[in-house]
Amino acid sequence: MGQWRGKYLNTGPPRGPGHYSQDGCWWWDDDQQRWFRLTDQEDVLEIEAEDIGGISLAASLLTTLSSQYGNGYFRFVARARGADPRWPTYAMAGATFPATRPSPEDVGAQGAWLETQRERFQELHRQLVAEGWRPAGRGPHWWSAIYRRPDIDWDTPPDAYERTQRSA
């Protein structure tokens, strides 16, 4: 789906896409155009499927009136638990997709929608990887991927990476 980006549901760390240094001790943030030192603490994230109709009364009425045969709209939500007290929990929502109720867990019942669901999952996965998340396991459902990433030392001076490279 091109350049799709997930939407943060609440405030999380201001970390954008980027890459790790070769030694794995630094994170280059494309949005801020600088290196940040990594800490020994990690954030942990798991992807969940959320029924859009269940998040508000208006959404519930809209999806019920627009659906047939018990179908609804879901989205994948990446929920993170962070070590940094400024962001103990935060979440990112992916794009919506159709599915049979009560859950997209019944793969056989999803029919042609299964491909769309997997595309939405892959979109969210690509964004998470671009933001430094590393796959670390599986949960109970096909979409329940678990990820980890090191926390950033947000107080890193802007020239710290260059200084460490000169002294090495």
Side-chain angles (χ1 to χ4, degrees):
M1 299 251 359
Q3 297 298 316
W4 176 87
R5 297 254 338 231
K7 177 181 89 173
Y8 279 92
L9 299 176
N10 48 17
T11 304
R15 184 171 176 172
H19 64 274
Y20 292 103
S21 62
Q22 285 187 336
D23 64 5
C25 296
W26 296 85
W27 173 257
W28 171 262
D29 189 284
D30 291 342
D31 291 345
Q32 298 184 46
Q33 292 291 297
R34 61 176 276 216
W35 289 100
F36 290 92
R37 185 181 302 276
L38 299 174
T39 71
D40 59 354
Q41 296 181 315
E42 286 187 316
D43 289 358
V44 178
L45 174 147
E46 184 170 354
I47 296 178
E48 302 172 357
E50 181 177 82
D51 184 344
I52 296 297
I55 60 174
S56 74
L57 178 59
S60 181
L61 289 172
L62 181 63
T63 58
T64 300
L65 293 174
S66 65
S67 68
Q68 296 177 351
Y69 312 111
N71 302 334
Y73 282 89
F74 288 76
R75 65 183 177 183
F76 293 119
V77 178
R79 297 200 189 278
R81 294 179 316 278
D84 192 314
R86 292 172 287 189
W87 305 288
T89 61
Y90 53 99
M92 179 196 314
T96 60
F97 58 87
T100 58
R101 285 200 170 113
S103 167
E105 185 171 9
D106 183 358
V107 174
Q110 300 308 318
W113 291 337
L114 185 59
E115 186 173 329
T116 301
Q117 294 167 11
R118 291 183 193 261
E119 287 173 8
R120 296 298 181 263
F121 175 85
Q122 286 300 319
E123 290 168 353
L124 185 55
H125 167 79
R126 284 190 295 273
Q127 182 172 351
L128 293 171
V129 169
E131 293 183 8
W133 292 98
R134 297 173 176 157
R138 307 282 319 157
H141 310 289
W142 68 263
W143 63 81
S144 301
I146 299 169
Y147 297 79
R148 294 180 177 276
R149 74 175 177 188
D151 276 350
I152 287 178
D153 175 2
W154 294 102
D155 298 324
T156 303
D159 65 341
Y161 179 76
E162 288 79 15
R163 286 186 306 193
T164 61
Q165 297 307 300
R166 284 193 300 263
S167 66

